[in-house]
């Protein structure tokens, strides 16, 4: 049976060690982390930064010494592996001490297991220039596809792409014992009313309540995330004799509607993402994160690989830092 592609926390750690070694100009670590193969390759931003084999392995550490000292602000890092091969993609802003200027950079890596140790066999670093500046055009085909996915589902459809959001009150059984059933029923009723209001204000629809949680659906991931932020913010600011923490999870994909309810693996995955969230946290899947563009000005923490019940391998999720939005 062929091995599948899975997210790799191990390779994330390897790449971070490489990035630190570049920043610290750690020659021994850099040489050790590079493959000894003559097929080793490197592509940099400058015109002549194309090196290969042992020339690159021996000389890259000297190349890093020529780079002015810089501060490193990582924006994203994800890595995957399949058998003996792995790859990673990273984005970061580098701020140089020599002139105080900051520049956005992208990095990609290909890695290979050599004698049980991950080694870099290909590295690419770029300081991107826009297509409009380079060739006078902007590529729009992929963006158009993503925009279509963002807005495909309408509430009168029975099938389509939508964002599913679950909310759940953390440690509710403990609170119930403290307050008693009657008072807790009042708290839940008020909470559901407020949650429904926030969902509808963001063009969503509450599908059902589930004990002390809710399930809702949105035509776009942006609306789902805005609703989640408002729900967490209003809950945190509420004055109550029964404060509680909320867990929220969101996933986007194809859903099927039957008899005013929704079904499919998207619904199940959104529920599992909620399960791994802590009190006062919002987690979203990598698909939802992809469909929310940078123009939406949402703050996410670095991706994490987690196990979700019923879903094989490691799954990539992002925590939305709602207090910063």
């Amino acid at each position: 049976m062929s091995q599948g592609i899975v997210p790799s926390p191990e390779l994330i750690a390897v790449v971070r060690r490489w990035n630190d070694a570049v920043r610290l100009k750690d020659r021994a670590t850099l040489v050790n982390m590079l493959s000894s193969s003559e097929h080793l390759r490197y592509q940099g931003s400058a015109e002549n930064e194309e090196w290969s084999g042992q020339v690159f392995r021996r000389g890259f550490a000297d190349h890093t010494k020529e780079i002015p000292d810089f501060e490193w602000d990582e924006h994203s890092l994800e890595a995957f592996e399949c058998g003996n091969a792995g790859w990673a993609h990273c984005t970061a802003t580098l701020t140089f001490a020599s002139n105080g200027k900051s520049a956005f950079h992208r990095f990609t890596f290909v890695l290979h297991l050599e004698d049980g140790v991950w080694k870099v066999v290909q590295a690419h670093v770029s300081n991107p220039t826009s297509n409009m500046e380079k060739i006078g055009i902007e590529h729009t085909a992929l963006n158009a596809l993503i925009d279509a996915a963002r807005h495909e589902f309408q509430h009168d459809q029975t099938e389509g792409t939508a964002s599913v959001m679950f909310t759940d009150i953390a440690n509710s059984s403990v609170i119930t014992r403290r307050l008693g059933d009657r008072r807790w029923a009042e708290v839940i009723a008020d909470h559901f009313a407020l949650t429904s209001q926030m969902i509808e204000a963001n063009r969503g629809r509450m599908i059902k309540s589930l004990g002390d949680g809710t399930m809702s659906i949105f035509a776009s991931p942006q609306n789902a995330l805005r609703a989640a932020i408002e729900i967490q913010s209003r809950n945190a600011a509420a004055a109550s004799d029964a404060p509680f923490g909320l867990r929220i999870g969101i996933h986007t994909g194809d859903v099927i509607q039957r008899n005013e309810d929704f079904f499919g693996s998207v619904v199940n995955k959104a529920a599992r993402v909620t399960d791994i969230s802590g009190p006062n946290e919002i987690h979203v899947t990598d698909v939802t994160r992809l469909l929310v563009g940078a123009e939406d000005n949402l703050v996410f923490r670095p991706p994490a690989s987690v196990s979700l019940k019923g879903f094989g391998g490691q799954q990539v999720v992002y925590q939305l830092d709602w207090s910063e939005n």
Side-chain angles (χ1 to χ4, degrees):
M1 180 181 294
S2 61
Q3 293 175 292
I5 297 172
V6 295
S8 178
E10 181 181 5
L11 287 184
I12 286 178
V14 169
V15 170
R16 284 195 173 129
R17 188 159 65 249
W18 168 271
N19 291 337
D20 283 342
V22 171
R23 181 176 59 84
L24 298 172
K25 310 180 194 305
D26 184 346
R27 179 185 181 87
T29 298
L30 291 170
V31 172
N32 185 58
M33 294 184 70
L34 287 169
S35 171
S36 58
S37 169
E38 283 298 330
H39 300 301
L40 177 64
R41 296 290 185 271
Y42 175 84
Q43 177 70 62
S45 287
E47 182 178 354
N48 295 319
E49 289 181 351
E50 298 179 12
W51 304 312
S52 62
Q54 295 312 297
V55 171
F56 168 49
R57 188 168 187 264
R58 291 192 299 268
F60 182 67
D62 292 332
H63 168 71
T64 63
K65 291 181 179 179
E66 298 175 333
I67 302 173
D69 291 342
F70 61 87
E71 293 298 322
W72 174 276
D73 182 13
E74 180 185 294
H75 303 305
S76 67
L77 173 56
E78 55 183 354
F80 306 88
E81 61 182 274
C82 182
N84 291 332
W87 54 97
H89 178 268
C90 177
T91 61
T93 293
L94 279 62
T95 302
F96 296 93
S98 57
N99 56 16
K101 291 184 177 180
S102 298
F104 179 79
H105 284 69
R106 298 181 298 216
F107 306 83
T108 60
F109 303 86
V110 178
L111 302 99
H112 184 257
L113 271 177
E114 298 180 7
D115 297 322
V117 178
W118 287 106
K119 300 285 188 175
V120 175
V121 293
Q122 189 268 342
H124 180 196
V125 56
S126 66
N127 178 205
T129 302
S130 71
N131 287 320
M132 182 61 71
E133 181 179 344
K134 287 189 294 185
I135 57 179
I137 65 169
E138 290 290 358
H139 294 295
T140 61
L142 185 56
N143 289 336
L145 180 62
I146 291 176
D147 286 340
R150 285 175 174 173
H151 303 101
E152 179 181 349
F153 188 80
Q154 302 298 320
H155 290 317
D156 57 354
Q157 289 179 231
T158 57
E159 297 184 19
T161 300
S163 291
V164 178
M165 180 178 78
F166 281 88
T167 71
D168 180 62
I169 295 177
N171 303 316
S172 59
S173 59
V174 175
I175 304 174
T176 304
R177 287 196 297 270
R178 179 169 61 85
L179 294 179
D181 291 340
R182 179 170 296 181
R183 175 60 183 134
W184 181 239
E186 295 173 349
V187 171
I188 287 292
D190 291 342
H191 167 60
F192 283 171
L194 177 62
T195 299
S196 178
Q197 178 185 343
M198 296 297 97
I199 290 170
E200 292 177 4
N202 287 278
R203 303 176 63 185
R205 176 156 57 105
M206 185 186 290
I207 303 303
K208 57 186 175 182
S209 59
L210 306 153
D212 51 19
T214 67
M215 170 187 165
S216 55
I217 194 164
F218 297 81
S220 78
Q222 291 92 337
N223 288 341
L225 268 63
R226 288 298 176 192
I229 291 170
E230 291 182 20
I231 291 168
Q232 288 286 26
S233 298
R234 290 287 293 271
N235 183 63
S240 172
D241 63 337
F244 53 79
L246 275 177
R247 305 184 300 164
I248 298 180
I250 301 171
H251 180 40
T252 304
D254 292 335
V255 296
I256 299 173
Q257 180 178 5
R258 291 182 188 145
N259 300 324
E260 297 302 315
D261 204 349
F262 287 82
F263 301 89
S265 63
V266 173
V267 175
N268 296 334
K269 192 166 187 177
R272 296 310 181 197
V273 171
T274 308
D275 290 342
I276 59 95
S277 298
N280 306 312
E281 291 182 354
I282 302 169
H283 279 87
V284 307
T285 60
D286 51 351
V287 175
T288 301
R289 173 68 184 90
L290 173 65
L291 293 174
V292 178
E295 68 274 11
D296 295 299
N297 297 317
L298 297 170
V299 179
F300 292 90
R301 296 186 182 180
S305 295
V306 299
S307 296
L308 300 179
K309 185 178 179 181
F311 294 86
Q314 294 289 294
Q315 307 292 319
V316 176
V317 298
Y318 290 80
Q319 183 176 342
L320 175 62
D321 197 344
W322 58 271
S323 62
E324 296 294 327
N325 288 280

